[in-house]
Each structure stands twice: as structure tokens, then as C-alpha cells.
Amino acid sequence: MFDSLFILNKQRRIIIEKHWKSIISGSILYDFNEKADTEDEGNIVPFTPLLNGKYYAAHIYRNGVYLVAILKNEVLPIMVIEFLEHIYKTIKSYFSGFNENVIKENFVTIYQLLEEMVDNGEPSLTEISMLKNIIPPPTIFSKVMNTVQIPKNLISGKTPLTPSKIPWRREGIKYNGNEIFIDLKEEINIIQECSGEDVNDTVSRGYIKGTLLCDSKLSGMPEVRLTFKNSRVLEDQSTSFHPCVRYAKFLKDRVLSFVPPDGSFKLMEYMLDVSSHQNLPVYVKPQFYIRNGEGKLDVSVTVKRTNGKDVEDLKVNIGFPNNIQNLKINSITGVNRFDQDGKTVLWNIGNVMSNPAPQLFQLTASFTNPENVDLNEYEKYITVNFKLNMYTFSGLKVDSLNVVENYSTYKGFRSISRAGQYILRL
């Protein structure tokens, strides 16, 4: 997949470099830095050719740190970006944080992790729970022992790993109390073009991204069976599974049957298309008028039926062109705040209690356009944020969760849905 990995600080100086197929000089980063200097920080094109296409650089930027993979051959960019994201999440999980200081303080362990996670440039052992059994996360005690050079086998307190037929789970796992928790998270992303007074329900781009997370603390080699209500929403959609899932059984019976890794992991991820606001719990309708040097914006927010769940932290952010003047805002419900420098209005509606009937909230803004410039040439937008607990946009729900083992298990499930990129362009 890639030949070398460079971890850089915010100033793009090398903190760690690791090579697999061949050693690539850090001087290649001059070309990367030159491209980075022409872009805003953190907004560099994530996959870019270097040295006239002789190499390629894929990168992510997290908490002031760049992870830059150098490739000699062009591959599917999303594969490299996704693996870099997994490396970032693994380091963050190991050290309960990810920044320049964390990397400098734990560079020896990070080198060990990269040795296990990457084999000849290809992903190898990526399961965090297995990595933590091979390379124990550092503790204050182990750091002190390392400084006085006491052998690790005298202080680790861990028994050697027992070989397992299942690559993501080791043998001999035991817990005094057995438990498994499932979190279903969905995020709605919508971009809608609203031209002046002409507003319709069609979205130019919309999808729901769902993630099923599992936290397993179970003894032995248990089989877990999970069934869904309304599983038909997953048909003909983009769905990916953890390797532990018996995919053939899911295709046949729509049952997730698996022997889970130990600890936290992503069990399933899916994406569903959204073509209109019809079935969404929050609907925003703007109307934008401009006549004779004066303008008006009416924004109505409708909270529909939410199956008895409250809409929490409902916020609407409105961006106006910089050249407007005399902006006046009026809303009966919620609190609005105007940022003069950024010409943005934050309308905080807050929590909306569930109600069988739709609930309507309105905001009106008036302004002047003294120079009579064409405001259609300037960026105008509305973004919406909210969340709902124990609710899903898609209607997908967990029906049953069973553990096939000869011990009692504590089981828990919750779901949360929130707005991601919910954007209306005026």
C-alpha cells in the first residue's frame, strides 16, 4: 500500500519516520511542504503527486500533527486515507490522546505498533484489542521501570499469548462479570440548494452515515447473535462489516452472527441515500428576498414527530454576505446572537420536547444593501445542528442481542442520531 510513513508536527518537521519497502529520504517532504504552504492549514489535498508523479503523498491532519504516507505506485486514495485514520485512532486509544507531545513521549511504543500494524507496507494486525495484548499500553509504573532498565518480562504481569484460530480474538479470556454493549450512531448529511424564494424539498446531496459500535467484555469464545427491526433499510445499500461477522448468514437471514474481539470495535458501517426532507425529524425552510436595496430572510424550522424523543441542542447558524448593513433579527423562540465580524447569526432554539403535532419556530432578519451589489455572487448559507437519543433517521433498530455461552451476560443498547453537514445554500 505505501512505502514510508512520516509523522510531522504543526511546523511540518519530522517527529517519526518509518520505512518498509525502501528508505525514502525526508527531502521528498520539501515538495509536500511547498504544496502545503499554498493551502490553508489542514486543508491540503489529501492525495497529491510528488516529483512529477514519481511518488504520491497521502495524508491526514489531526490535532496539529500530520500523518503522511509516501507511495511509489498509485492506489485507491480512500484505502490509504482510511488506514492512516486507523493508525491515528490506535495511537489515540493507546495513549488517551494524540498530539506532538504524546508522540514524542511514546515514540518507542509507536514504532512497535507500526511494526505490528504494517507488514511490507500492507495492513497486517489492525485489531486494537490484539495489539494491546502484544504491546501493552504504557503505564506510569512501566515508564518508571523502563527508566531504570528493568526487563519487561519481570514487570508486565502478563502471561504469554495463547495461539488462536481466530485472528481477532485470543484464547483464555476471562471476566468475573460478562457484559456487552451496542451503540448505534447515525449522522445525517444534507446539502440543499435554495434559490431566492423558490424552495423545494429536493436535496442536491444527502446521505445517512450509520455506525454500529460494540464494547465486549466476554469470557471464552462466545457467539453473539444480533437481529434488527426494519433491516430492509440495509438492502442494496453500502454496508461494511468487521471481519468477525459471518457475512453469508447476514445475507441469508439478516442476522449478525459473530465471535467478537475483546474490547471496543466497529461492528458495522453503512450509508443510506437521502433524496428529500420528508422523513427527517427537523425540516428547515428559508425564504430570501432582495428588492430595491433591501433584503429579508425568513427561516422556519419545523420539528416533526420523533417517536416520543426530544430534539436536543437545536441550533441554526446563518451566514450573510459581508457587505450588508443594518441587520435586524427577530425570533420569538430561542436566543439569537449576531457576530458582527463574521456576519453570522447563531439561533439557539435549545431542547424541543416531543409532541405528536409538528412544532414550528420562526426567525426573521431584515437588512439593507446600500451599494446594490448582486448578493447572488456572495456566499449565503444556513447550517443546522441537533441530536436525538434513542432514535435513528433510517428507522433501523436493534431487536435482540443474544450471547450463546453457559454464563449470564449483562447486555445494553443505545442509539443516538445527530446532524452532520446539514447545509442549505441560499
Side-chain angles (χ1 to χ4, degrees):
M1 182 176 287
F2 51 74
D3 296 76
S4 299
L5 176 67
F6 294 90
I7 300 179
L8 316 177
N9 64 11
K10 193 173 184 178
Q11 291 73 37
R12 297 192 291 276
R13 296 191 182 95
I14 298 174
I15 309 173
I16 287 178
E17 60 179 279
K18 185 76 176 73
H19 307 279
W20 286 275
K21 298 179 181 179
S22 60
I23 296 177
I24 297 177
S25 172
S27 61
I28 196 172
L29 294 174
Y30 291 140
D31 200 7
F32 174 79
N33 291 336
E34 192 172 286
K35 294 178 183 295
D37 287 336
T38 63
E39 301 285 345
D40 293 333
E41 200 168 82
N43 291 327
I44 315 166
V45 177
F47 195 86
T48 182
L50 303 177
L51 301 180
N52 296 321
K54 184 178 179 181
Y55 293 92
Y56 297 89
H59 88 281
I60 61 174
Y61 179 75
R62 300 290 181 271
N63 299 339
V65 175
Y66 294 89
L67 276 73
V68 184
I70 304 298
L71 306 82
K72 285 186 177 179
N73 300 312
E74 187 175 3
V75 300
L76 193 63
I78 190 63
M79 293 174 59
V80 186
I81 299 297
E82 184 68 22
F83 188 48
L84 290 176
E85 187 71 26
H86 187 72
I87 292 175
Y88 153 70
K89 290 179 179 178
T90 301
I91 296 174
K92 184 179 179 181
S93 173
Y94 253 77
F95 310 112
S96 301
F98 184 90
N99 54 48
E100 181 178 354
N101 291 334
V102 167
I103 294 171
K104 287 181 177 179
E105 291 172 3
N106 300 280
F107 70 91
V108 173
T109 306
I110 292 174
Y111 270 115
Q112 293 174 327
L113 286 173
L114 293 175
E115 283 287 345
E116 297 293 339
M117 295 181 70
V118 186
D119 182 17
N120 195 34
E122 300 293 333
S124 181
L125 180 59
T126 59
E127 193 63 55
I128 294 179
S129 60
M130 292 294 288
L131 286 168
K132 286 184 177 180
N133 282 288
I134 297 172
I135 307 169
T139 62
I140 295 176
F141 180 72
S142 65
K143 288 180 179 179
V144 171
M145 294 301 99
N146 285 337
T147 58
V148 295
Q149 297 183 343
I150 292 181
K152 290 184 179 180
N153 61 342
L154 296 180
I155 64 172
S156 65
K158 287 187 175 286
T159 56
L161 287 174
T162 304
S164 172
K165 295 180 180 179
I166 301 178
W168 56 82
R169 186 177 180 91
R170 63 183 174 88
E171 299 278 358
I173 297 175
K174 292 182 180 179
Y175 287 100
N176 292 328
N178 295 280
E179 57 187 27
I180 182 169
F181 298 98
I182 299 292
D183 283 343
L184 178 57
K185 298 183 178 182
E186 287 192 348
E187 181 181 273
I188 183 76
N189 296 274
I190 283 180
I191 297 178
Q192 180 181 356
E193 303 290 342
C194 306
S195 177
E197 303 174 27
D198 181 21
V199 180
N200 56 56
D201 289 343
T202 303
V203 299
S204 56
R205 181 170 181 263
Y207 64 93
I208 296 168
K209 180 180 179 181
T211 307
L212 195 66
L213 302 173
C214 182
D215 188 6
S216 169
K217 294 180 175 61
L218 300 173
S219 304
M221 286 288 179
E223 180 182 352
V224 179
R225 294 172 185 168
L226 186 151
T227 61
F228 296 106
K229 290 181 180 178
N230 198 21
S231 63
R232 66 180 182 273
V233 302
L234 298 176
E235 295 177 1
D236 301 324
Q237 300 293 340
S238 176
T239 307
S240 60
F241 301 91
H242 189 279
C244 69
V245 173
R246 296 182 177 94
Y247 185 57
K249 185 170 182 61
F250 176 78
L251 289 179
K252 180 182 178 182
D253 303 325
R254 285 294 185 241
V255 174
L256 283 183
S257 175
F258 57 97
V259 176
D262 186 39
S264 301
F265 64 100
K266 185 189 298 182
L267 182 61
M268 181 179 74
E269 192 171 50
Y270 56 91
M271 292 183 65
L272 311 174
D273 292 331
V274 175
S275 57
S276 74
H277 294 87
Q278 184 176 358
N279 298 319
L280 300 182
V282 177
Y283 170 56
V284 181
K285 182 178 180 179
Q287 288 185 308
F288 195 71
Y289 310 90
I290 305 172
R291 289 186 180 92
N292 302 322
E294 295 185 353
K296 183 181 179 183
L297 173 65
D298 293 332
V299 180
S300 63
V301 177
T302 304
V303 176
K304 302 180 181 180
R305 296 184 61 180
T306 55
N307 299 329
K309 310 304 178 185
D310 299 341
V311 175
E312 301 179 14
D313 299 327
L314 178 56
K315 297 177 181 178
V316 179
N317 192 62
I318 308 169
F320 291 90
N322 289 329
N323 53 346
I324 67 168
Q325 296 181 14
N326 303 317
L327 180 62
K328 297 179 181 179
I329 309 160
N330 181 41
S331 63
I332 298 175
T333 307
V335 178
N336 57 72
R337 188 175 68 250
F338 176 56
D339 178 8
Q340 177 66 40
D341 295 333
K343 282 291 194 297
T344 57
V345 174
L346 176 61
W347 180 22
N348 188 349
I349 299 174
N351 297 341
V352 180
M353 304 294 289
S354 173
N355 194 307
Q359 301 177 71
L360 179 65
F361 307 95
Q362 292 181 309
L363 176 143
T364 301
S366 61
F367 55 88
T368 60
N369 178 20
E371 299 177 5
N372 281 320
V373 299
D374 185 2
L375 295 182
N376 292 322
E377 296 181 359
Y378 295 86
E379 183 181 25
K380 308 175 295 297
Y381 63 87
I382 297 175
T383 62
V384 187
N385 291 284
F386 60 88
K387 67 177 181 179
L388 295 97
N389 287 311
M390 301 307 294
Y391 178 93
T392 56
F393 297 116
S394 65
L396 184 70
K397 297 179 181 179
V398 172
D399 184 29
S400 65
L401 178 64
N402 298 307
V403 179
V404 183
E405 263 295 354
N406 58 353
Y407 51 69
S408 59
T409 307
Y410 181 81
K411 297 171 287 187
F413 164 74
R414 63 182 178 181
S415 61
I416 183 170
S417 295
R418 63 176 67 247
Q421 280 193 324
Y422 199 131
I423 303 173
L424 296 94
R425 292 174 177 161
L426 302 175

